[in-house]
Amino acid sequence: MPIIAPSFLAANFLQLSEACEMVNQSEADWYHLDVMDGDFVPNISFGQPVVTALCKASKKLNDVHLMVQKPERYIQDFAKCGAHNITVHFEASTHLLRTIDAIHELGLQAGVALNPHTPVHQLLDIIHEVELVCVMSVNPGFGGQQFIPYTLQKVQMLKELILNTESKALIQVDGGVTLENAGGLVAAGADILVAGSSIFNASNPMATIAQFKQFGK
Ligand code: DX5
Ligand code: ZN
C-alpha cells in the first residue's frame, strides 16, 4: 500500500483549512508542501508562514519539498515550522552530504530529489544517507503538468540501486501522478505517491485518496 502525500500546491488557497480537514480525515499519510523560490524553479509558491500554519493544522506527517537554491540556508527554518521530512534537490546543494547531515541533526528525515535530467546513478554515494529519494516526474515548478513517461524507468532503476546497495531509502514520485499511472509506478517500486491536481481537482478528493491507497495491495 503506497504512502499518499497530497500536494497542497493544488489546494484552494482561500480555503486551506478545508483542505487540511479533508486530508486529515482522509486515508492520506503525509502533507506534501512545495516551497519554490523563483530561482531554482521559475515559480514562487509559499514560504515559512504558510508552512507553519499548515503544519499546525496537520494530523499527518509533514513532508517539505524545498525547490530552492542553496536549501541549506533554510533547513532550520522549516524544522521550526513543523516539518518531519525535508527534501532538497540534488542539483541545488553543492555540499549535499553536509545539508543532509544538518537535516538529521535537527531530528528530521532527509530526502533528496532528482530533476528529470539527473541520472539515478548519481545517487550512488549518497543513497545510504537519505531516508527518501524523490523522483521528479515533471520539471519542477508547477502543479498540473503531464507525467514524463521515461521517469517510470528511473523508478525501476532507483529500485534496483536501492536493492543492490541495501539502502533503506523510500522512493517518492512527484509530478503528474494520476489514478491512471499510479498502478505502474507502484509496480515499478514507488513507495510514496505525491499527487496535487489529481486529488484536489477531483470531484471527490477523499474518495480519490482512498483509490490511490488501493494500488499494490
Ligand atoms: C512540482 C511539485 C509537485 C506538484 C505536484 O514542482 O513538486 O509536488 O505540486 O502537482 P501535480 O500532482 O498536480 O503534478
Ligand atoms: Zn513536490
Side-chain angles (χ1 to χ4, degrees), residues 5-10 32-36 41 43 65-67 89 115 134 136-147 172-178 194-201 212:
S7 164
F8 280 74
L9 191 64
H32 184 81
L33 305 175
D34 289 302
V35 177
M36 303 178 181
V41 290
N43 200 12
H65 179 190
L66 293 182
M67 283 161 278
H89 269 261
N115 277 341
C134 174
M136 289 305 307
S137 39
V138 297
N139 287 299
F142 302 93
Q145 301 183 83
Q146 285 280 332
F147 182 84
Q172 182 177 66
V173 184
D174 186 7
V177 174
T178 63
V194 174
S197 38
S198 61
I199 288 177
F200 285 101
N201 296 345
F212 271 117

Side-chain angles (χ1 to χ4, degrees), residues 6 36 81 101 126 147 163 196 200 205 217:
M36 303 178 181
C81 292
D101 286 345
I126 201 83
F147 182 84
L163 290 173
F200 285 101
K217 246 190 164 178

Side-chain angles (χ1 to χ4, degrees), residues 17 59 125 191:
S17 59
K59 293 197 163 71
D125 295 330
D191 303 293

